[in-house]
Amino acid sequence: KMAKTGAFWNSDIREFGDVIHAQVRELTRGKALAIFDYCVDHSPVDSGAYRASWFISEGSPEYRWVGRQPRTANELPPPERPAKLSTLFYRTFFVTNGAPYALKLENGWSEQAPMGVVREALKWA
């Protein structure tokens, strides 16, 4: 008799695929949340409007701007971390900021974030 050679599976290959899909979904979701957290935590703060305008959306970008508050108002709090993100297969997550000066901040306009916020988040996430 000849010995069998090659790879053999003890379980259904579809189960292996489901495990891989679940890991990819969780990794993608975790990276989106890490980028969101970094952006919120490292946002330059004057009135807090820029920091409060971070948002995560799925499938397409969504820009939100909370607006600047009068100088007499207290600083705006940071946004809440999303409680749940989709776990659909291979969703694209967008971390966005709708502040009209967000691009200026990303290009070093603030001494508090001279290297920008998003590009630094992408390095560390």
Side-chain angles (χ1 to χ4, degrees), residues 12 25 27 68 73 81 92 99:
D12 188 336
R25 284 192 309 266
L27 178 64
R68 229 175 142 75
R81 190 174 201 241
T92 301

Side-chain angles (χ1 to χ4, degrees), residues 3-71:
K4 290 184 179 182
T5 60
F8 295 95
W9 298 95
N10 292 340
S11 61
D12 188 336
I13 188 71
R14 289 174 292 219
E15 290 177 20
F16 176 72
D18 291 343
V19 169
I20 296 300
H21 285 303
Q23 290 176 346
V24 168
R25 284 192 309 266
E26 190 54 37
L27 178 64
T28 303
R29 181 185 168 281
K31 289 294 183 181
L33 288 170
I35 291 167
F36 174 83
D37 290 344
Y38 187 98
C39 289
V40 170
D41 292 345
H42 293 85
S43 289
V45 176
D46 178 25
S47 68
Y50 174 73
R51 180 183 60 190
S53 294
W54 287 106
F55 185 70
I56 293 181
S57 57
E58 300 177 46
S60 63
E62 186 175 325
Y63 298 94
R64 293 188 181 178
W65 168 233
V66 299
R68 229 175 142 75
Q69 304 300 308
R71 280 286 187 196

